[in-house]
Amino acid sequence: MSDKLSLMPVQGAVKEKIIEENLEREMETSFLQYAYSVIYQRALPDAKDGLKPVQRRILFQMNEMRLTPDKPYVKSARVVGDVMGKLHPHGDSAIYDALVRMSQNFVLRMPLVDGHGNFGSLDDGPAAARYTEARLAAPALSMVQDLDENTVDFEPNYDNKLQQPSVLPAAVPNLLVNGSSGIAVGMATNMAPHNLAEVLDAAVYLLQHKNATLDDIMRFIKGPDLPVGGIISDTDGIRLAYETGRGTFKMRAKMSIENVTARKRAIVVTELPYMVGPERALERISEVVKQGKLQGITSAVDLTDRKNGLKLVIGIKSGYDPVKIMRGLYQFTPLEENFSINNVALVDGEPQQLSLQRLLEVWIDHRIEVTTRRTKFRLKKFKDRLHLVNGLLVAILDIDKVIRIIRAAETAKEAATELKREFSLDNTQVDYILDLQLRRLTKFSRVELENERTDLEQKIKFLDEILRSKEKLFALITFEMLEVKKLYATPRRSLIVNDNGSVIASAGNMSQAKTDAQPALLAINDATGTETPPPPPPLFGEAQPIRPKADKSLTNFAIKEMPTTIILSATGKLAKVDIQNVHPFDLTAPKPHDAIKTLINTTTTSEIGVVTNHGNLYKLPVSDVITLDAQENETASLDLSQGVEFAHILDGQNEKPVQIVPLTSDITLALGTKLGIVKRTIIESTKKEVLQLISLKDDDELLGIQPTNDTDDLVFIATDSQMLKFEAKNVRPQGNQAGGMAGIALKDDAKAIYFGVVAQKENALVFTVAGNSRVLPGTAAGSAKITPYKLYPYKGRATGGVRTQKFLKGQDTLIFAGISDVLRANNLAGERVTLPEINERRDGSGTAMSELIAGIG
């Protein structure tokens, strides 16, 4: 019976259908589908926003969850769960790995996720997602802003229930700034990080100059800027990568030679190559020492901590040359690595190998499209609102009649028909009026509505002009780029040197490239119908510049010795220029905002001294000072705004630079203070990084310091217009700790405002500006006077001197004073002020100035 039943067909059973398929063709089809999925959905970033799909979905979902920088952190597991459930149908480990990478500041130059907890290091992995927390980092806001204004296309998610952006608006050039890496099928990508300020400056220039060349762009982008700093070399490889999309450059650790004890020296590593962890570096050093490839190393320890950052100390045996050991470390250990650039990204869904210029063009085109679509969206929104406001204004003129019609009508349709007939309104306007609550309708203010109509008309006009004018569209995009730069840009971290050792781009410097943009004319606010990028929420603040410490290396292995000139500007900025033996005013075009105060000729491997108003001398390696471009001709141009503030180079304790001096053992320096103290001293030979050149009283400060010899003159000028000049030989040299001696005898409440050394006495000019001490500084122009220096007599040291300018009515003090053979003065706007003619009267009065003098140099 059972046998018979087993042979009976089961009711409803489906008959099997076997399809024969060629194995080779099936493998080809399946592998192509797999390859397509890997290329487009996993490994390659989009050139527009620089994100892979999983990264884009994480940022989008975190924005949807309102995890902005001013909100509390949430568990990473919650973010991973929402992304996986709604947008990314893959494993939670892949999503968490991508989130962790976007939060690591040693991987990304500008992290997009703000992580809280153990997010790992180069040598250790992160904690599990249930233990860490996350929220969006500040720059991520610029990546997702304006998503709700039809700026990009949306596409269905994996189950066709939700919508997700195909690309983010990306107000930040993320692909160039953060780089990317990934291995697809048959192709791979490996892109280096760059400095945000440099990339945006290049983008602004390219937007304004469509015919720009690679050389033009590389004026702004000198090379990659790695998150961990270090030294980058092989500029030929960088240029090849920027030109073709493929190239290689070398990364080196930043090392210095320091004295650990009186007799023992060590190599100190403070920056490692990109993606090289300290554990890996120490392990390899130990291996090569055991193998006998490196000799002279006694120990290698990791002293890294949260306060001081990375610090690897490599002990050196006595008698071994530290420079040779450094060469060996570069050769045999990961302290020197190669970075192979392979700029492959998706452009409109197609994998392409992109040059630097093409990468910028794709992002700029994306921003043009985003800004255009946003402008159209806002234009339509404002026009729709204006249409409703016009309807309300018509109805508000006879609000009682509107209410009677509505009350008298038996149906809404009847009321709508009567309102359209009575007030000549259309369906949209009538429906809006009928949908309003009666109490709202009666409380509408005609004045408020008319003001709103005027405001809307202005916005619509402005947006129309943007859509009609390419110049205004580009100006708006430029303005937004500069706003992003102001919010999130940080100084360069990686030093770039060429093959001969000269510095191409210095670490610790912010790009100050000038463009044709005029942001002041593009002050876009609600009145003009556009929104600027939001200011940082108070919890995380504005991006702060990094202030690197001075490089204390005794031998800078990466820098080749070459002649150079160090410049100190009148506003206290330091820079170097590759022009030798030039007079400061042969550089006839320092930009209007500044003037050259002094310069000294030195070499790229030397040190200079920066002397502050507290009487301290800071030793500064010349290699740490940014190089400015200038042409050696009669009209050499120099943009001093690109110099570096003293506080950005050394921890100056709120000290201001007074002068720069060469550090040579035979040089004698003359110093003068605000209380009239003078001193001559010789810099003592010491390995200290900071020297105290004079012992000052609490209420005193250094006015000036210059090299001198016995044949020079020393000059004081005081606020009461007294000037004293005497021979330098009358001041005997003292030790660095001495407090000096009386220079000028000051009367009552007078203070010295100038001290200097005059060597070229025949052509020197004395420049003074008189004003009123009771007037708020910076509000009155005063009177200026220029007199030949040779007209003033010599007086004895510690005397009161002679009067240099007669005060006019209402004047009782000198505001500025200086001595030079050529003078330059600037106003508050940074423009050059025309100075009066030379006055041959030693104690004559000055010439009234029409412009306020804010600085001299």
Side-chain angles (χ1 to χ4, degrees), residues 263-549:
R263 296 184 178 181
K264 186 177 181 181
R265 290 192 291 179
I267 295 173
V268 178
V269 181
T270 54
E271 294 174 6
L272 288 171
Y274 185 46
M275 301 306 291
V276 174
E279 191 173 306
R280 175 187 161 197
L282 292 178
E283 183 179 346
R284 182 56 184 162
I285 292 172
S286 177
E287 289 178 2
V288 297
V289 170
K290 290 178 181 179
Q291 295 169 1
K293 295 180 179 179
L294 271 179
Q295 295 181 351
I297 294 178
T298 59
S299 61
V301 295
D302 185 2
L303 301 182
T304 302
D305 57 36
R306 291 180 180 272
K307 181 179 180 180
N308 300 311
L310 177 72
K311 186 175 183 181
L312 306 183
V313 180
I314 303 170
I316 303 174
K317 292 180 182 179
S318 299
Y320 281 84
D321 184 0
V323 175
K324 290 183 179 179
I325 294 177
M326 290 170 68
R327 292 194 183 101
L329 289 170
Y330 282 138
Q331 181 178 359
F332 298 115
T333 72
L335 297 185
E336 179 178 281
E337 293 266 272
N338 288 334
F339 189 103
S340 297
I341 296 177
N342 187 21
N343 293 336
V344 176
L346 298 175
V347 181
D348 296 327
E350 178 185 347
Q352 293 183 13
Q353 191 163 66
L354 305 170
S355 65
L356 175 64
Q357 184 165 344
R358 181 61 181 146
L359 281 168
L360 286 169
E361 288 172 348
V362 171
W363 180 71
I364 291 172
D365 290 343
H366 177 57
R367 288 304 301 167
I368 292 174
E369 180 183 3
V370 165
T371 307
T372 302
R373 292 178 60 163
R374 183 188 65 197
T375 304
K376 290 179 179 179
F377 176 88
R378 292 176 178 175
L379 183 62
K380 182 180 183 304
K381 182 178 71 172
F382 293 150
K383 284 183 175 180
D384 291 345
R385 176 60 185 170
L386 179 62
H387 185 60
L388 297 178
V389 169
N390 285 331
L392 284 173
L393 280 170
V394 171
I396 209 74
L397 291 175
D398 198 350
I399 186 64
D400 294 333
K401 187 173 184 181
V402 171
I403 294 174
R404 284 199 306 270
I405 291 174
I406 295 175
R407 292 182 63 184
E410 296 183 359
T411 64
K413 183 176 180 181
E414 182 180 337
T417 302
E418 186 63 21
L419 286 172
K420 285 191 290 184
R421 184 187 64 79
E422 191 69 28
F423 295 98
S424 300
L425 302 175
D426 61 19
N427 290 332
T428 303
Q429 294 169 320
V430 169
D431 290 343
Y432 180 70
I433 293 173
L434 292 176
D435 288 341
L436 287 173
Q437 294 178 348
L438 184 61
R439 58 186 175 87
R440 288 186 59 197
L441 188 62
T442 57
K443 289 185 178 181
F444 269 119
S445 167
R446 178 180 177 183
V447 175
E448 291 179 358
L449 288 172
E450 288 178 344
N451 289 339
E452 184 180 1
R453 178 173 66 180
T454 301
D455 182 55
L456 289 169
E457 288 172 346
Q458 290 178 351
K459 292 179 177 181
I460 290 170
K461 179 182 178 182
F462 177 79
L463 296 175
D464 271 331
E465 290 175 349
I466 290 177
L467 292 176
R468 288 198 303 266
S469 170
K470 182 183 293 186
E471 289 75 16
K472 292 188 177 181
L473 175 64
F474 286 3
L476 175 59
I477 295 171
T478 298
F479 173 79
E480 292 179 347
M481 289 181 186
L482 296 177
E483 283 295 301
V484 169
K485 175 184 173 181
K486 183 170 68 175
L487 285 174
Y488 308 123
T490 56
R492 166 170 280 278
R493 297 177 187 173
S494 295
L495 173 72
I496 302 179
V497 298
N498 60 18
D499 295 336
N500 62 15
S502 60
V503 176
I504 302 299
S506 298
N509 296 320
M510 178 76 80
S511 173
Q512 298 290 343
K514 301 298 180 182
T515 67
D516 297 338
Q518 299 182 27
L521 302 179
L522 302 173
I524 299 169
N525 49 40
D526 291 339
T528 55
T530 316
E531 298 175 2
T532 59
L539 287 182
F540 60 91
E542 190 170 333
Q544 295 296 321
I546 296 172
R547 294 187 174 186
K549 302 293 183 181

Side-chain angles (χ1 to χ4, degrees), residues 29-95:
T29 303
S30 298
F31 188 78
L32 283 174
Q33 292 176 350
Y34 165 74
Y36 181 89
S37 174
V38 171
I39 292 172
Y40 292 94
Q41 297 297 323
R42 189 181 304 175
L44 297 185
D46 194 295
K48 295 178 180 178
D49 62 5
L51 298 172
K52 301 176 184 180
V54 63
Q55 296 171 326
R56 185 178 304 113
R57 290 163 183 168
I58 290 172
L59 295 181
F60 173 69
Q61 187 58 36
M62 292 180 75
N63 185 60
E64 292 291 292
M65 296 168 69
R66 300 294 185 265
L67 300 182
T68 52
D70 57 334
K71 302 293 176 55
Y73 294 95
V74 302
K75 286 289 186 183
S76 300
R78 179 182 167 191
V79 177
V80 171
D82 276 20
V83 173
M84 182 170 58
K86 295 181 178 181
L87 304 174
H88 198 68
H90 299 282
D92 58 333
S93 61
I95 299 172

Side-chain angles (χ1 to χ4, degrees), residues 570 717-719 721 753-754 766-771 777-778 780-785 804-805 807 813-819 824-828 851-857:
I717 301 178
T719 53
S721 191
I753 60 170
Y754 171 81
V766 179
F767 174 61
T768 53
V769 180
S783 60
K785 175 174 173 283
T804 182
Q805 179 172 345
F807 291 143
T813 187
L814 288 186
I815 304 172
F816 288 118
I819 299 177
R824 172 190 172 94
N826 296 335
N827 60 18
L828 288 171
E851 294 183 85
L852 181 71
I853 296 177
I856 59 174

Side-chain angles (χ1 to χ4, degrees), residues 62-237:
M62 292 180 75
N63 185 60
E64 292 291 292
M65 296 168 69
R66 300 294 185 265
L67 300 182
T68 52
D70 57 334
K71 302 293 176 55
Y73 294 95
V74 302
K75 286 289 186 183
S76 300
R78 179 182 167 191
V79 177
V80 171
D82 276 20
V83 173
M84 182 170 58
K86 295 181 178 181
L87 304 174
H88 198 68
H90 299 282
D92 58 333
S93 61
I95 299 172
Y96 185 53
D97 287 346
L99 184 146
V100 167
R101 182 181 174 85
M102 286 195 291
S103 72
Q104 292 175 328
N105 59 6
F106 51 84
V107 174
L108 299 189
R109 183 62 179 81
M110 184 183 65
L112 300 175
V113 171
D114 180 8
H116 182 66
N118 179 14
F119 275 80
S121 66
L122 286 169
D123 297 314
D124 299 302
R130 61 184 179 273
Y131 297 123
T132 63
E133 298 176 319
R135 63 186 178 190
L136 289 174
L141 298 179
S142 294
M143 294 291 293
V144 298
Q145 71 179 19
D146 305 329
L147 264 174
D148 57 347
E149 295 188 288
N150 192 35
T151 51
V152 295
D153 293 332
F154 278 70
E155 59 189 14
N157 70 332
Y158 65 91
D159 61 1
N160 207 22
K161 293 181 179 178
L162 299 171
Q163 293 288 309
Q164 62 184 357
S166 59
V167 66
L168 295 183
V172 172
N174 178 63
L175 188 56
L176 273 169
V177 173
N178 280 328
S180 184
S181 63
I183 301 175
V185 178
M187 61 185 69
T189 185
N190 195 35
M191 305 181 68
H194 290 78
N195 185 273
L196 175 63
E198 295 175 359
V199 173
L200 286 174
D201 286 337
V204 169
Y205 184 85
L206 186 58
L207 180 65
Q208 298 166 350
H209 305 82
K210 285 297 183 182
N211 297 324
T213 64
L214 179 60
D215 289 331
D216 295 329
I217 295 174
M218 289 189 68
R219 287 168 43 207
F220 305 96
I221 305 178
K222 306 293 186 181
D225 186 22
L226 307 176
V228 293
I231 300 171
I232 295 174
S233 60
D234 194 358
T235 52
D236 290 340

